[in-house]
Amino acid sequence: MMNILFYSTFKNNKQWLKYIKKRFYKDNIYTLSQNPDYGNIDIAIVWNLPDRILRKLINIKVIFSLGAGVDHIINLPSFNDIKVPVIRIKDKNMAERMCSHVHSQILNYQLKIYSFYAAQNKKKWIGEQYTKLNCDITIGLLGFGFLGKSVGVYLKKLNYNVIAFKKSNREKSILKIPLYTDKNLKKLVINSDIIISILPGTKETKNFINKKFLENMKKNALLVNVGRGITLNEEDLINHLHKNKNFYASLDVFNTEPLPKTSKLWKHRNITITPHVAAITDLSSAIDYIFNRYKRFKKTGTIRGDVNYRKGY
Ligand code: GLV
């Protein structure tokens, strides 16, 4: 029997707890409200766990992230003292949601749905607007890990021209999607009609999309950020939009979440804002995924983390 701590900031937290208790019925599941003996916790299943709790988990053996990202764990100051394996969710249901979200944003832009919304507001019949076919659109993906690849394959199968930037030399191409690295990133940026960022939040990706990056993009491009907020310099984006009236951005992640009411991003007519929902974690399949990895850990006594701490993802 293991002692498991569950913590999340999800709105449907209660439902998560119910599912976890059902799946891990042989184990003890604790939440903060029970004020458990933190020194006896073996496993943590968490999303946005506060550092003051992590600090107390001195006998923790493995941490499961309830999302694809692990920055909410490994950036905590106390993680340095703990450094146990961290497991992330890699799940096809999450990937499906990410693909649908990204495609919806592409279509809004590609089919000029923005203009129709604006026209409808003014009761204006603007008539047909010429639109590009998928094969005439080049999509540059930033990030080519599990989710990046899923999105790449999805879009490629729909006939878009997909090109991708990857940092790590672990990632191999798939469906002949051309891969770019730091050396020729500029070429990808210049050639893309749409850029989709699925980059993780690390020291190296902070402000990755900045003034210079934006200036290299096409004047009437679309930028979609579904990775992490810190990868985009929001001030640079606002200034860029000021100068480029036909540039669009669809943002799902932000420097500060929830996005503060004072942010200039809210009201910009060329920005679509969604509240960090592009790839929400699927309850049932995520818990199955965690449970299967946990089962192997219980059987073998070891578990290999998914995260390279030096790289930060
Ligand atoms: C969401 O942002 C996730 O990391 O799953």
Side-chain angles (χ1 to χ4, degrees):
M1 192 150 41
M2 296 251 184
N3 294 321
I4 301 177
L5 178 73
F6 163 67
Y7 180 92
S8 97
T9 49
F10 294 148
K11 273 174 96 177
N12 57 348
N13 213 13
K14 284 209 178 83
Q15 215 181 350
W16 276 94
L17 182 61
K18 206 168 113 192
Y19 265 70
I20 290 175
K21 282 190 169 163
K22 208 164 141 194
R23 204 74 165 91
F24 291 79
Y25 68 95
K26 287 187 182 157
D27 300 289
N28 298 318
I29 310 296
Y30 295 102
T31 59
L32 262 49
S33 64
Q34 290 157 281
N35 198 16
D37 180 355
Y38 291 106
N40 272 336
I41 296 291
D42 302 298
I43 292 176
I45 303 178
V46 298
W47 183 253
N48 289 338
L49 182 72
D51 190 59
R52 66 184 163 81
I53 305 296
L54 184 67
R55 199 168 358 120
K56 298 182 192 168
L57 306 182
I58 50 177
N59 283 311
I60 189 87
K61 296 171 186 72
V62 50
I63 303 176
F64 289 94
S65 164
L66 281 170
V70 293
D71 43 348
H72 61 107
I73 300 167
I74 68 172
N75 289 345
L76 293 176
S78 307
F79 186 75
N80 262 329
D81 308 324
I82 294 172
K83 286 233 166 111
V84 291
V86 174
I87 311 296
R88 63 151 51 91
I89 302 288
K90 277 188 192 170
D91 171 36
K92 66 175 179 27
N93 288 340
M94 182 189 268
E96 179 187 309
R97 286 201 172 100
M98 180 61 101
C99 293
S100 302
H101 179 91
V102 164
H103 196 206
S104 73
Q105 299 312 295
I106 292 172
L107 290 176
N108 270 345
Y109 164 83
Q110 178 182 356
L111 305 181
K112 307 196 175 165
I113 305 295
Y114 303 134
S115 322
F116 299 130
Y117 281 150
Q120 184 178 349
N121 253 333
K122 295 183 197 149
K123 298 188 181 168
K124 216 168 145 188
W125 180 274
I126 55 175
E128 74 271 18
Q129 306 286 311
Y130 199 75
T131 55
K132 278 187 185 173
L133 292 171
N134 296 7
C135 64
D136 294 326
I137 296 178
T138 297
I139 300 181
L141 276 178
L142 305 180
F144 205 59
F146 174 73
L147 288 173
K149 273 188 190 144
S150 306
V151 171
V153 167
Y154 179 92
L155 296 174
K156 180 91 185 177
K157 286 188 177 162
L158 291 171
N159 250 347
Y160 292 100
N161 295 311
V162 180
I163 56 182
F165 165 79
K166 57 154 200 151
K167 184 109 202 131
S168 148
N169 50 16
R170 271 186 318 190
E171 310 301 346
K172 299 266 174 295
S173 183
I174 189 164
L175 294 185
K176 299 208 176 94
I177 292 174
L179 294 183
Y180 293 68
T181 59
D182 277 325
K183 280 196 212 101
N184 51 2
L185 170 67
K186 189 172 170 189
K187 205 169 143 203
L188 174 144
V189 178
I190 288 173
N191 287 329
S192 296
D193 299 296
I194 298 174
I195 288 197
I196 317 275
S197 175
I198 316 186
L199 290 172
T202 70
K203 280 192 209 89
E204 283 183 51
T205 61
K206 191 166 162 50
N207 286 328
F208 192 88
I209 305 169
N210 54 18
K211 182 170 186 276
K212 202 170 135 221
F213 185 105
L214 293 165
E215 280 170 3
N216 282 330
M217 284 180 72
K218 291 189 180 177
K219 296 258 172 274
N220 57 352
L222 167 70
L223 170 71
V224 180
N225 190 8
V226 287
R228 280 295 180 262
I230 65 158
T231 64
L232 169 68
N233 186 313
E234 292 172 355
E235 199 59 41
D236 287 355
L237 175 67
I238 295 277
N239 291 333
H240 187 74
L241 284 166
H242 197 65
K243 289 183 226 138
N244 297 278
K245 302 286 180 223
N246 295 318
F247 190 96
Y248 286 87
S250 164
L251 309 176
D252 187 56
V253 287
F254 303 90
N255 274 265
T256 307
E257 293 177 15
L259 183 63
K261 288 233 188 302
T262 50
S263 170
K264 288 183 205 143
L265 300 171
W266 280 115
K267 283 206 149 171
H268 202 288
R269 65 182 182 90
N270 287 15
I271 298 182
T272 300
I273 286 176
T274 51
H276 202 143
V277 292
I280 58 167
T281 310
D282 192 77
L283 235 169
S284 138
S285 56
I287 292 173
D288 282 350
Y289 180 84
I290 292 173
F291 188 72
N292 286 333
R293 299 225 27 197
Y294 157 85
K295 243 184 6 197
R296 277 203 57 191
F297 168 56
K298 236 174 131 179
K299 206 166 143 199
T300 62
T302 58
I303 187 161
R304 233 186 101 167
D306 296 334
V307 180
N308 181 327
Y309 304 129
R310 197 174 40 76
K311 285 189 180 143
Y313 67 98

